[in-house]
Amino acid sequence: MKKILVTGATGQLGSELTITLRNRYGAENVFAAADKKPALNELTQSGPYYCLDVRDMPVLNQIVETNNIDTIFHLAALLSAVAEQQPQQAWDVNMNGLINVLEISRMHQCALFFPSSIAAFGTETPSMDTPQDTIQRPTTIYGITKVSGELLCDYYHHRFDVDARGLRYPGLISSKTKPGGGTTDYAVDIFYAAIKSQHYECFLRADTQLDMMYMPDAIDAAITLMTADSTQLKHRNAFNVTAMNFTPQQLAAEIQKHIPEFTIAYNVDPLRQAIADSWPRHMNDSAAKAEWDWQAQFDLQAMVKDMLEKIALN
Ligand code: VAH
């Protein structure tokens, strides 16, 4: 990877991935792009930044051609809950954006990273120890764009030899950029509430068990996959990866070990509860471990400690 483009660079994953890539590959070699100009911050001040709507093929092509981009981390997408409120827009951004990036990757021989999700599975998928290869009939528009994206990326690899690789991420937890419009956002919001008011009103049921991952592991997984020996990859789009598994009740109990006065209440959002209930409880990520040595570093205890320390400093 020499010249890298990150789309959706102002998002929860994109903002931290861009900074990490700039630290590793040189700020001048990592081009951040997002659909609107954010406030001047570490992202826009630490390296090149473009305003880009990924549906705008001529602008996307011009950015890739001008800068000799050889690797694209395509993160621009509407997340599950916000997508469910505007399914046509979600299909337009998530799928027309992806087909544009795949076409650009084909024309300019770029390697491509595509973030899929546990959302790519549905209620007929085995919910515990969810296999790498299994039935995928998601019931959300976000999940439909993710499984369609996986199939498109595999197609472009087999048909046009595009070096497309992807991960099925669980919920991501980060201290720098809040997520926008996801079903797992509670697992980030709860930390800010715990520090600010020692109380959090959770929009998912107390017993909603989901796979989760701390941002440093999510970034490490993306970069390790994209730099892995492609001859070792039996799967490509997209590897199951997970790091921990908990319910809101279990997360609250871990926070209470640090903030004893912290309390949680539950005000279930039917839309986001229905989305979460359609996802598996725990994925099997043995294929990622076998094919490119995936190994998470943060478990629930380590993540909670680090999150509280980092947010307290913000
Ligand atoms: C969402 N954070 O909630 C994303 C993610 C597994 C969840 O894809 O939509």
Side-chain angles (χ1 to χ4, degrees), residues 226-292:
M226 292 309 286
T227 51
D229 175 0
S230 62
T231 63
Q232 299 306 305
L233 301 181
K234 298 185 189 67
H235 297 82
R236 275 175 167 271
N237 301 286
F239 286 92
N240 292 355
V241 284
T242 186
M244 60 191 94
N245 186 279
F246 54 74
T247 65
Q249 198 169 27
Q250 291 164 331
L251 178 56
E254 192 61 32
I255 291 172
Q256 282 160 347
K257 291 178 185 173
H258 300 265
I259 307 175
E261 64 276 24
F262 173 68
T263 56
I264 187 168
Y266 298 92
N267 179 12
V268 174
D269 169 8
L271 170 71
R272 284 182 284 188
Q273 188 64 53
I275 293 173
D277 289 344
S278 72
W279 294 346
R281 303 277 72 81
H282 181 47
M283 291 186 287
N284 177 311
D285 58 5
S286 56
K289 288 174 175 156
E291 297 177 34
W292 48 276

Side-chain angles (χ1 to χ4, degrees), residues 12 78-81 116-119 142 146 169-172 179 181-185 211 275 279:
Q12 183 193 18
L78 271 61
L79 295 182
S80 59
S116 186
S117 161
I118 53 176
Y142 176 71
K146 287 304 182 185
Y169 278 125
L172 299 184
T183 300
T184 58
D185 296 0
D211 273 338
I275 293 173
W279 294 346

